[in-house]
DNA sequence: GAGGTCCAACTTGTCATATAAGCTGCTGAC
DNA sequence: GTCAGCAGCTTATATGACAAGTTGGACCTC
């Protein structure tokens, strides 16, 4: 009766163009398609047995990720990998885990640079309503420590709330992309978040600094939080590497 | 909609879907389309006199900018403006100038946070080849002070080179996405009479710190450079506002 | 009347075919 | 050797048809 209750792990059915784009991207990454020459609409429709419409939308998707260049009359060309849109969760899903792992660290590096400043900015201009919402989320988090997935949902919302309070659409957009990136990569690596208990305490510290409208305090609290995050990230990566090594 | 109906000053010929997407976005921004209800494929194809294929691609474009949500069977819905992809050059082109002006300042705020750190990171790991390229660009800039447009090209390349040297694909992508606005803001600032001369000196300072592999120095030099940029940006904005007021 | 089932209408997803328009590289004239 | 021009490739757009998913209301049950 009630709809819209998709479980987080629900295998979302993706459209044909997305599936084909995933295949092609993986082939490009693996070096199966030589740089500079990508298949045309006709090639794609024949090889994958789809209509030209689907082949066309596939190329549009790849173009929107800056993976290829498409123009009328010209052949499709693969763009340099350095220019691909690594902020897109779609692309991240298609990349091999070792690259995703690297990107995760680079993502964290970005968060370390931005989030403490965002917290400081937020402390200067945060509203009572936002503080109320943060408090609510704080309570929900401490109640959800047994359910990592649900916890992470609220965790992200907590961080995004602070980001929004900083009142900068560019920075907000960046963190919004980062949020999806984080969940996408977590889905790939299937990595269990650790240290939820500690995280809650750290969130509380950030909240207190915001309530006090103390930019320095908020910056410092956020910085502590992220540096703790980083250690667990590294630990988890270590475990993964070991697991991967054992599998060989 | 026939092919020659673009506005006269539109230099680049854009595809039909892009043109229609521009129209629709402007209508949404102006409040002409009530939030939460966007036109369907059929509505679009009838109203603009285009085929369903074009209407469809239009919606795909809007969806890729997070302006709308599209799913099979469901009606198209307009997403909250706070979640639109303000990092996309397409969207920016379609927004009214006052919003673009605000975004310009928000972008600058982001650069102030990121670029000094990028410079510091680069100083720690920069290669001789990159330093050589930076030197070349430095020379070209001082030779191009009479030609603002060409100067800006090299200016941009200089900043991106440093960004690339920091060796972080996420941060690189962010700065790359911001390229359009970066050049836009730099074009404005460098319209100021003494702008280019001072900018060249500041670039040289950054370069020297990188050669010395001095993170602190590079960070400080970049910070000075950006804060100078900012003062001229504010001045220019003031002038523009006055001009606009006079025109009324 | 409240609550649930089911279907018809609407919407997006995909297919097939045809034509227009733009680019590339080769041919052939000079 | 140079360059105009054409042939053959490519993407862009149009049209019509059907598949598949959603929505909202009619209708049925209790």
């Amino acid at each position: 009766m009630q709809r819209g209750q998709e479980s987080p792990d629900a295998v979302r059915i993706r459209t044909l163009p997305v599936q084909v784009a995933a295949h092609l991207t993986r082939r490009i990454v693996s070096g199966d398609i030589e740089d500079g020459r990508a298949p045309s609409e006709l090639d794609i429709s024949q090889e994958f047995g789809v209509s030209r419409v689907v082949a066309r939308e596939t190329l549009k998707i790849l173009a929107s990720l800056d993976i290829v260049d498409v123009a009328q009359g010209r052949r499709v060309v693969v763009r340099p990998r350095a220019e691909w849109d690594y902020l897109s969760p779609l692309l991240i899903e298609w990349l091999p885990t070792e690259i995703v792992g690297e990107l995760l660290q680079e993502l964290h590096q970005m968060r370390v640079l931005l989030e403490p400043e965002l917290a400081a900015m937020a402390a200067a201009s945060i509203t009572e309503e936002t503080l109320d919402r943060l408090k609510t989320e704080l309570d929900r988090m401490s109640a959800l420590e047994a359910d990592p997935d649900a916890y992470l949902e609220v965790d992200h919302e907590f961080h995004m709330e602070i980001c929004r309070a900083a009142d900068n659409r560019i920075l907000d957009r960046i963190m919004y992309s980062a949020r999806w990136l984080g969940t996408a990569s977590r889905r790939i690596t299937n990595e269990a978040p650790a240290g939820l208990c500690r995280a809650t305490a750290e969130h509380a510290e950030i909240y207190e600094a915001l309530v006090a409208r103390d930019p320095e305090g908020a910056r410092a609290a956020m910085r502590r939080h992220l540096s703790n995050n980083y250690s667990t990230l590294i630990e988890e990566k270590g475990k993964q590497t070991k697991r991967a090594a054992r599998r060989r």
Side-chain angles (χ1 to χ4, degrees), chain A:
Chain A
M1 42 182 61
Q2 298 292 38
R3 296 172 316 92
Q5 290 193 353
E6 325 157 10
S7 73
D9 303 324
V11 182
R12 273 188 300 173
I13 290 140
R14 327 217 76 153
T15 61
L16 238 41
V18 172
Q19 295 177 46
V20 177
H23 270 94
L24 281 178
T25 302
R26 293 205 179 97
R27 289 225 327 234
I28 294 172
V29 169
S30 75
D32 214 22
I33 293 177
E34 54 179 319
D35 275 18
R37 287 208 60 177
S40 69
E41 284 185 11
L42 216 68
D43 294 336
I44 294 173
S45 67
Q46 285 172 355
E47 176 175 348
F48 290 88
V50 296
S51 73
R52 252 195 71 206
V53 176
V54 169
R56 185 176 175 66
E57 284 194 5
T58 297
L59 286 178
K60 291 285 183 196
I61 291 172
L62 295 181
S64 80
L65 297 176
D66 286 341
I67 296 175
V68 300
D69 258 336
V70 179
Q72 183 171 0
R74 273 200 286 253
R75 271 201 293 258
V76 181
V77 294
V78 178
R79 298 188 57 177
R81 289 176 205 201
E83 293 174 12
W84 292 6
D85 183 8
Y86 292 105
L87 279 174
S88 161
L90 217 44
L91 173 55
I92 299 300
E93 271 185 54
W94 304 338
L95 294 175
T97 43
E98 52 283 11
I99 294 184
V100 174
E102 294 168 10
L103 287 170
L104 250 169
Q105 294 192 42
E106 296 175 11
L107 180 78
H108 187 268
Q109 201 170 18
M110 180 210 78
R111 289 184 61 188
V112 167
L113 291 185
L114 289 187
E115 287 210 71
E117 300 306 318
L118 284 166
M121 287 159 65
S125 64
I126 199 163
T127 65
E128 289 297 331
E129 292 81 39
T130 304
L131 284 174
D132 286 348
R133 279 198 296 276
L134 286 176
K135 179 76 177 113
T136 308
E137 283 153 8
L138 215 49
D139 293 340
R140 284 172 60 201
M141 274 191 277
S142 60
L144 280 173
E145 279 173 13
D147 183 351
D149 282 333
Y151 185 97
L152 277 179
E153 278 292 311
V154 189
D155 185 346
H156 282 306
E157 200 45 53
F158 183 84
H159 282 265
M160 285 308 295
E161 202 77 63
I162 294 172
C163 184
R164 249 172 262 135
D167 197 35
N168 180 313
R169 279 163 289 190
I170 303 284
L171 289 169
D172 189 50
R173 175 68 200 183
I174 292 172
M175 292 308 299
Y176 181 79
S177 302
R179 170 205 164 125
W180 282 105
L181 217 57
T183 54
S185 55
R186 213 171 282 115
R187 187 161 58 240
I188 292 169
T189 57
N190 209 3
E191 146 188 323
L196 290 193
C197 188
R198 186 169 56 187
T200 304
E202 289 161 4
H203 286 145
E205 284 178 30
I206 297 168
Y207 171 74
E208 292 304 333
L210 290 175
V211 168
R213 292 187 159 73
D214 168 20
E216 292 304 322
R219 192 195 332 259
M222 181 66 86
R223 199 171 282 152
R224 274 197 302 278
H225 177 44
L226 290 175
S227 88
N228 283 340
N229 255 1
Y230 188 58
S231 5
T232 51
L233 176 67
I234 293 297
E235 278 171 32
E236 285 296 320
K237 266 208 73 64
K239 288 185 201 164
Q240 274 190 353
T241 311
K242 280 181 202 162
R243 271 200 298 271
R246 222 178 299 135
R247 233 177 273 131
R248 271 183 231 124

